[in-house]
Amino acid sequence: MFFAYLKADFIKTKGLKVCLAHLLIPLLAAAVFLLYYSVSNGDVYLKADAYFQMLGIAFPFFAGLFCGIISEQELMAGSFQNMLSAPARVVPFYSKLFMLLMLGTPAVLLASVLFGAGYLYIAEDYIIDFRLYFIAAFVIAGSSILLYILHLFLAMRFNKGVTTWLGIAESLLAAVMLTGLGDGIWIYIPAAWPPRFVTLVLPKPATYGTMAVNYNQGLYTAVIICIITTAAGALAFGIWALKWDGIKSSE
C-alpha cells in the first residue's frame, strides 16, 4: 500500500515540474560555483567548504518551498480528502514525506558529485578525497529530515506562505550559526545542522586528503540530538496525521 501511494505521489508531481527543479537546481549551483572558482584565487579547502556550507544553508529554504508546493497540490486536488480517507491514514502522509526525501537526497548528491568532478580540473592539487563528496551529501540530507517533517506539517496545517517564509528565516539563521554567534548553541537549532555538520565532516587544512573528522564543537551531542529529535518528529507527525481533520488556516 505504501509503495502504491508513493508511486501515485510521483505521478502527481509531473505537472508541477518538481522533479525537473530537483535536477536543474543542483546543476545550476555546481555550475555557478565552479565557474566562479575557476577564475578566483583562494585556498582549495576553503572553497570546497564554502560550497557545502552554501548547500546546507539553502536546504531549509528549499525544504519549505517544495513542502509547500506538494501540500498545495493536495489541497487543490480535494482538500486532502484522498489522504484523510485512506484505510491506513498515516500511510499517505509518510508517503509524501518519503517522496520529498527521495527528491532532496539525490538532488544534493548530484550537486555534490558534480561539483567534486568539476573541482578536480580546477584545483591545482587533488587534495580532497572524492569519497568526501558523497559523505557530505548524505550528511546534509540526513540532518535535514527533521526540517522536511516540520515544513510538511506546517504546509498542511497552515499554508505554503508560512512554510516558505519560515524556510527563508531558517536559511538566514543557518548562515548566522556558522559564525561565532552559533558556537555552543547550533546543536539545538535544526536549521543549523546541515551546514555545521558538513563543515565538521570535510577535512581541515592539516588533514588534506584524509577522511579525518573534526570531533570538536559538540559533534557527539549534536548527532544524538539530531537522531532523537528526528525520530520524535517522525512519530509526532504520524500521531498528528491520525487526528487531523483537514482544517487549515489561510492566515
Side-chain angles (χ1 to χ4, degrees), residues 26-186:
L27 289 173
L28 181 61
V32 169
F33 272 79
L34 287 173
L35 180 62
Y36 172 69
Y37 286 167
S38 66
V39 297
S40 65
N41 298 321
D43 182 85
V44 174
Y45 161 75
L46 293 179
K47 286 182 178 181
D49 193 34
Y51 177 75
F52 285 105
Q53 286 180 354
M54 181 279 298
L55 292 183
I57 291 172
F59 228 80
F61 166 71
F62 286 114
L65 176 64
F66 289 116
C67 284
I69 292 174
I70 295 300
S71 176
E72 187 177 63
Q73 179 203 46
E74 198 64 37
L75 172 66
M76 300 301 294
S79 299
F80 300 98
Q81 291 308 306
N82 290 332
M83 299 174 66
L84 296 174
S85 61
R89 191 168 175 179
V90 298
V91 172
F93 286 85
Y94 282 122
S95 172
K96 284 280 191 297
L97 175 62
F98 195 68
M99 179 193 68
L100 287 163
L101 295 176
M102 288 182 66
L103 290 171
T105 301
V108 71
L109 181 61
L110 179 63
S112 180
V113 172
L114 285 177
F115 173 80
Y119 208 41
L120 290 176
Y121 295 95
I122 294 176
E124 295 180 0
D125 299 307
Y126 302 158
I127 56 180
I128 299 178
D129 193 319
F130 199 80
R131 291 174 295 174
L132 285 171
Y133 294 110
F134 290 91
I135 295 174
F138 286 111
V139 166
I140 293 175
S143 59
S144 300
I145 295 176
L146 183 61
L147 295 176
Y148 276 105
I149 295 172
L150 172 62
H151 282 284
L152 189 57
F153 159 71
L154 292 174
M156 291 181 172
R157 179 60 183 84
F158 297 98
N159 55 61
K160 184 173 71 174
V162 170
T163 185
T164 301
W165 281 107
L166 178 61
I168 294 173
E170 286 175 331
S171 288
L172 293 174
L173 179 61
V176 172
M177 289 296 102
L178 283 173
T179 68
L181 295 175
D183 294 344
I185 63 173
W186 71 270

